[in-house]
Amino acid sequence: MQPRTLYPEDRVVLREVGLRDGLQLTSGFPDTAQKLDWMRAEHAAGVRHFELGSFLPAKRFPQFADLRELISAGAALPGAVSSALALNERGVADGLETGVDEIIFVLSATESHSRANTNRSRAEALEMLARIDAARRDRADPPVLTAGIAMAFGCSLEGAVEPAAVLRLAEDCARAGADVVAVADTVGFGGPRQVAQLADGLRAALGPAMPVAMHFHDTRGLGLANCAAALDHGIRVLDGSLGGLGGCPFAPGATGNAVFEDMAFLCETMGFDTGIDVAGLAGARAVLEAALPGETLHGALARAGLPRVLEPA
Amino acid sequence: MQPRTLYPEDRVVLREVGLRDGLQLTSGFPDTAQKLDWMRAEHAAGVRHFELGSFLPAKRFPQFADLRELISAGAALPGAVSSALALNERGVADGLETGVDEIIFVLSATESHSRANTNRSRAEALEMLARIDAARRDRADPPVLTAGIAMAFGCSLEGAVEPAAVLRLAEDCARAGADVVAVADTVGFGGPRQVAQLADGLRAALGPAMPVAMHFHDTRGLGLANCAAALDHGIRVLDGSLGGLGGCPFAPGATGNAVFEDMAFLCETMGFDTGIDVAGLAGARAVLEAALPGETLHGALARAGLPRVLEPA
């Protein structure tokens, strides 16, 4: 699979990451049938990219126990693209068996967070990325390999993070074999000028062949402002979750991922065609509300309704 | 008073409009002592610009009955700037008696909304603006006169609004005597590219001597994305309300004004000095929570706390 097949340069791709990132802090999680309803409702609204889980031991991470089933179901939806996290060679081996379209390996922008989160230095994480790349090369049609850089806009442990350090790490990831680089504002410290600077820097450093994705959390209210800055500076792949499902492990009670349906509306106002029907996407919230009755969902469109300019005639 | 005295070109001014715009849809409203606590708490955090009410009959609009008292109290706060709405000659006469620093007259961007909201055509509204300008000229030190253009980014009645139409109306307002033009996304239809286009257009059309303010509602989640675009395109005066107090008369239950403390954080991330201490401003929410116990307040910083980069050492 070529990265530009998954992420064409000429359109904006919005990725639903709620089935993975959104389920890390919820008190409960949807069962497999509910997850499939969620995927199908969003697919019917035009969503094509789904991050479906992490290849982790099912005993410790029961919310991802049905990952293989979701990947199979995704393969049956026309045009759908599945991705999943793999954090080590075992995870990658599992991933290669499933035929998942994209494997995401996560590194940290800072040394402190890298060690605290994975007990690896950044250099060791890069070595693991290279081994993951080598492992997939056996396959006739290997999955796309994405390097996700956490804490790229600020770190819960180190505070401010220099864009230059993120650029160096992104270039190292490309050299280690990544096809795509994704940078994440894991804790919601970033602002739109920082986003613009990093977007310009990454596109210049990595070149036009490599898709760059950005992943914002709305922890401090700037999720959509950061998405807008990313779009203005040439980023064409953005992550979000329906109803902003998710949270922040460092800020209990905080808002989570950028709200997917509000993000689709943002793109609409900016003149980008995402292929997503905003009204249909907003309607998919009902599936999530039924599956997670105790969970607080976020989002402004859900409260206000569609603006008159977008209402069906 | 010269407009650039109130709104210097070289800094970002954030105006607290909660005491006016925020109290139009609340079920209750703070008493005078609570309003004064609110003003003083924000003033202590560095806020200087307060929109305090509308000159309207106290019987029909009891939430603004203490407007004169608030203007006097504001005059006693070092550096504080007071503004209030006046919708006709009677309101302006009342305003001139109080010594308010700035009088805001509101027009509509569309003919339908102008007639529905005030029973005036836009041409008649411009005539009223000219009469208000004439009335203040009697004074030795007249208040600044601001023309506020409602529905400037979309209209609840007409849908899409062309930026060119807003530009023409803004130029008409300048000719009629306005010192400042403020454009409002009254219903939250606008997106950041539209904001950028209108900001560039207004600054070019009105020239550097005339401050341009923008007023966003977060009705559809784009409040801060629109603020960021405005700042990126040279706008230096933005409105918000603590806790996003307020709402939208056309969308019951929707979020209201852009959240003031999150907006101050946005400016901080973008490198603008607003003179406001974000932590202090966030702390002022306690006053509002006590004064309006039944009201839903919004805002991400309040849930997540300050980012580590802004925490006191």
Side-chain angles (χ1 to χ4, degrees), chain B residues 172-248:
Chain B
D172 288 342
C173 289
R175 273 190 288 270
D179 301 312
V180 177
V181 166
V183 288
D185 188 10
T186 315
V187 287
F189 285 11
R193 291 217 161 156
Q194 190 181 357
V195 169
Q197 189 185 350
L198 199 51
D200 290 345
L202 286 169
R203 293 177 63 225
L206 302 175
M210 178 168 278
V212 177
M214 289 196 169
H215 173 109
F216 297 112
H217 281 234
D218 197 35
T219 318
R220 288 170 182 89
L222 304 188
L224 294 182
N226 289 339
C227 288
L231 290 165
D232 267 338
H233 289 262
I235 300 301
R236 294 292 174 264
V237 187
L238 293 171
D239 292 353
S241 67
L242 196 65
L245 194 69
C248 178

Side-chain angles (χ1 to χ4, degrees), chain B:
Chain B
M1 185 80 74
Q2 292 302 309
R4 284 293 178 202
T5 309
L6 292 197
Y7 300 112
E9 271 183 287
D10 60 352
R11 66 177 308 166
V12 169
V13 170
L14 302 184
R15 305 196 294 194
E16 169 60 82
V17 300
L19 289 150
R20 200 278 306 170
D21 199 0
L23 298 182
Q24 303 212 124
L25 294 165
T26 51
S27 47
F29 44 86
D31 64 28
T32 306
Q34 290 168 323
K35 288 182 182 180
L36 295 174
D37 284 348
W38 179 1
M39 282 175 71
R40 286 176 189 136
E42 289 203 4
H43 184 267
V47 179
R48 292 294 176 267
H49 289 67
F50 297 92
E51 191 177 283
L52 294 173
S54 291
F55 289 104
L56 289 167
K59 277 199 182 159
R60 280 188 54 209
F61 299 92
Q63 65 267 55
F64 303 134
D66 55 7
L67 175 53
R68 285 160 188 79
E69 203 169 332
L70 300 183
I71 292 170
S72 297
L77 293 173
V81 170
S82 60
S83 62
L85 268 62
L87 306 181
N88 51 37
E89 286 156 307
R90 168 70 187 273
V92 170
D94 288 349
L96 292 174
E97 294 308 316
T98 64
V100 70
D101 297 307
E102 179 181 5
I103 286 177
I104 301 169
F105 176 74
V106 177
L107 308 84
S108 297
T110 66
E111 198 64 20
S112 310
H113 184 260
S114 183
R115 290 186 180 278
N117 198 42
T118 62
N119 201 27
R120 284 177 193 142
S121 69
R122 285 176 294 182
E124 287 165 343
L126 283 166
E127 286 165 20
M128 178 64 76
L129 177 63
R131 287 203 294 279
I132 291 173
D133 177 46
R136 72 174 173 143
R137 298 276 170 206
D138 295 345
R139 304 281 153 160
D141 188 19
V144 164
L145 177 58
T146 294
I149 302 179
M151 304 288 177
F153 297 85
C155 173
S156 55
L157 299 170
E158 295 193 11
V161 170
E162 284 304 315
V166 180
L167 288 181
R168 279 195 303 275
L169 185 58
E171 290 176 299
D172 288 342
C173 289
R175 273 190 288 270
D179 301 312
V180 177
V181 166
V183 288
D185 188 10
T186 315
V187 287
F189 285 11
R193 291 217 161 156
Q194 190 181 357
V195 169
Q197 189 185 350
L198 199 51
D200 290 345
L202 286 169
R203 293 177 63 225
L206 302 175
M210 178 168 278
V212 177
M214 289 196 169
H215 173 109
F216 297 112
H217 281 234
D218 197 35
T219 318
R220 288 170 182 89
L222 304 188
L224 294 182
N226 289 339
C227 288
L231 290 165
D232 267 338
H233 289 262
I235 300 301
R236 294 292 174 264
V237 187
L238 293 171
D239 292 353
S241 67
L242 196 65
L245 194 69
C248 178
F250 306 96
T255 36
N257 289 99
V259 176
F260 204 48
E261 62 274 26
D262 291 354
M263 187 190 294
F265 171 59
L266 168 72
C267 290
E268 193 100 30
T269 74
M270 293 178 79
F272 291 110
D273 175 21
T274 62
I276 296 173
D277 170 47
V278 177
L281 185 58
R285 280 174 65 111
V287 175
L288 202 52
E289 283 160 7
L292 293 171
E295 209 61 39
T296 301
L297 298 186
H298 307 284
L301 267 191
R303 277 190 291 247
L306 286 180
R308 194 182 162 86
V309 282
L310 280 189
E311 278 170 5

Side-chain angles (χ1 to χ4, degrees), chain A residues 192-241:
Chain A
R193 289 215 165 158
Q194 190 182 357
V195 170
Q197 189 185 350
L198 200 51
D200 290 345
L202 285 168
R203 292 178 63 225
L206 301 174
M210 178 169 278
V212 177
M214 290 197 169
H215 174 109
F216 297 111
H217 281 234
D218 197 36
T219 318
R220 288 171 181 87
L222 303 189
L224 293 183
N226 288 340
C227 288
L231 291 166
D232 267 338
H233 289 262
I235 300 301
R236 294 292 174 265
V237 187
L238 293 171
D239 291 354
S241 66

